[in-house]
Amino acid sequence: MTVTVRAPAKINLHLGVGAPRPDGFHPLATVFHAVGLCDDVTVDPSDGWALHVQTPDWIPPADLPDPADNIVTRAADLLAAHHGLRRSGLVEVEKGIPVAGGMAGGSADAAAALVALDRLWDCGTSDDDILRLAAELGSDVPFALVGGTALGTGRGEILQPVADHATWWWVAVPSRQGLSTPAVYRRFDELNPTAGAEPTPPDEVLRAVAAGDPHALAAALHNDLQDAALDLRPDLADTLAAGESAGALRGIVSGSGPTCVFLCESADAAREVAGGLLAAYDVVLVTNGPVAGAHVVAYG
Ligand code: C5P
């Protein structure tokens, strides 16, 4: 039996960040949005365990984490331990989400692996348990399971779906060099020594999503980590300016960066913006959202 599960990248339409909690994590008020850049995880039965990662030519394989420390292996160990099993399988991860890019590519792999291995091992894990295991693996992993558009609180793992009936068009410009999420949060702390415990609420983004109006959403997009990411990577300001002068309604850094994402008025506008950016950037991706969370795409 082979199972392939696809999981989406995320953009934070709103990312409000508060002062660090005693456990070191930052309280968030965020609006996650799943977009059509995806990773696929395929699992086959095996007595042992082997993990292989395939990258498109625009992702340098050198950017990938050490296989021994891959979040997919951690996901397998956690699910196996939950059911008293030993981890087993041949696992192939096909990347389509920028690595260390602020779009939760590793979280997508973990979510897809949980769903795929649950099928392969015939575990029948309940939704509640799989969401709890996902939260143990990382703050963004539960959202990669759920997808769509959702409000995230806690450290991002507590989710509430947001009705989103529009299709939003995005252009994404990945960066050749990734950014470390903990480093961006550390710089946020240095730049915001008096941050309060309560993150900025996402009301304006939620109103714009409900209205389905790209101009209102463009005006409302908000990322508290953007200044920290720009401080570490000043070149990203040029990328944001380039997308906006190519016709995007608004550009923001995605999550902790360094991928820059641009909201566009329509599919045609997104293609035009991408065309303009291609003059200066090698890799420019057009996508839309919301899309589904981790789901089986091939089974047999
Ligand atoms: O939960 P996850 O493994 O994705 O977090 C990676 C790192 O990002 C954490 O170790 C922490 O440094 C930072 N982080 C944070 N507050 C959050 C989420 C992540 O400080 N809400």
Side-chain angles (χ1 to χ4, degrees), residues 123-152:
C123 295
T125 316
S126 71
D127 290 350
D128 278 355
D129 282 355
I130 216 159
L131 280 164
R132 196 173 43 71
L133 297 176
E136 273 184 55
L137 288 163
S139 310
D140 295 337
V141 182
F143 178 70
L145 284 173
V146 169
T149 301
L151 183 63

Side-chain angles (χ1 to χ4, degrees), residues 88-117:
S88 68
L90 295 178
V91 182
E92 179 86 28
V93 178
E94 210 176 313
K95 298 293 301 177
I97 304 175
V99 173
M103 299 194 81
S107 302
D109 298 348
L114 286 175
V115 173
L117 293 170

